Amino acid sequence: RARPELGRFDMHLSYEEWLDFIELTLADWMEQVQGAAEKSSGIFLWKKPGEAYAYRRDAYKRMSELLSTERASRLSEVVPAMHKAVMDTEGEETRHLVQPRTPPMSNAALSALAALRSAGEEIPLELGPVPREECSSTF
């Protein structure tokens, strides 16, 4: 399903198409996170350099694990090794941070999340990186 602020519309993918999407998403993130971590970002709510590593940290780890199992003939070794190599470039000062949700990328998305909260959805107010022990959401 699509993200809540986009309407949660159904997405019709075969299992292989979904795995392709996961593979592309993970590869894109692994290619870009080091550069993104060099600076802060108002859009992603990263206040300091290095916080990009927190963005969906646990989800990307799960994607790596999933792909290494579901596409073992091709990815069982390379994906976990690449994920580890990328994460090993992170400085110690941000390794305790997580950012499980994508922050709203527009005023319309921000309004949609506010509407969902007012309807009883449990969407955290703080969507930037937070220490893991303060995080109530897993994705």
Side-chain angles (χ1 to χ4, degrees):
R1 297 180 85 165
R3 293 194 323 237
E5 67 271 23
L6 298 178
R8 282 203 184 105
F9 55 87
D10 287 333
M11 298 173 67
H12 302 282
L13 302 170
S14 70
Y15 189 67
E16 287 302 313
E17 289 169 330
W18 181 71
L19 288 174
D20 288 343
F21 176 73
I22 297 295
E23 188 174 340
L24 176 65
T25 300
L26 180 61
D28 183 55
W29 173 79
M30 287 195 298
E31 181 179 54
Q32 294 186 42
V33 69
Q34 285 177 272
E38 292 178 1
K39 56 187 180 254
S40 61
S41 170
I43 292 174
F44 282 94
L45 307 177
W46 303 330
K47 296 174 185 161
K48 299 181 293 190
E51 290 187 352
Y53 287 97
Y55 178 68
R56 302 196 64 225
R57 179 188 303 276
D58 296 337
Y60 288 119
K61 175 70 173 162
R62 286 192 303 272
M63 288 178 201
S64 170
E65 294 165 350
L66 175 74
L67 291 170
S68 69
T69 301
E70 294 299 311
R71 294 196 164 161
S73 64
R74 191 166 55 85
L75 302 176
S76 66
E77 295 178 18
V78 70
V79 170
M82 290 185 75
H83 183 268
K84 181 182 181 329
V86 168
M87 294 310 290
D88 284 351
T89 65
E90 180 181 13
E92 291 294 325
E93 62 278 358
T94 57
R95 290 183 182 211
H96 68 290
L97 298 175
V98 292
Q99 185 180 15
R101 298 184 81 118
T102 301
M105 299 284 136
S106 67
N107 286 336
L110 187 63
S111 296
L113 288 178
L116 290 168
R117 280 187 198 100
S118 71
E121 288 263 349
E122 289 191 34
I123 298 172
L125 292 172
E126 176 55 61
L127 294 174
V130 296
R132 182 175 297 283
E133 60 272 5
E134 293 178 20
C135 182
S136 61
S137 179
T138 57
F139 34 87

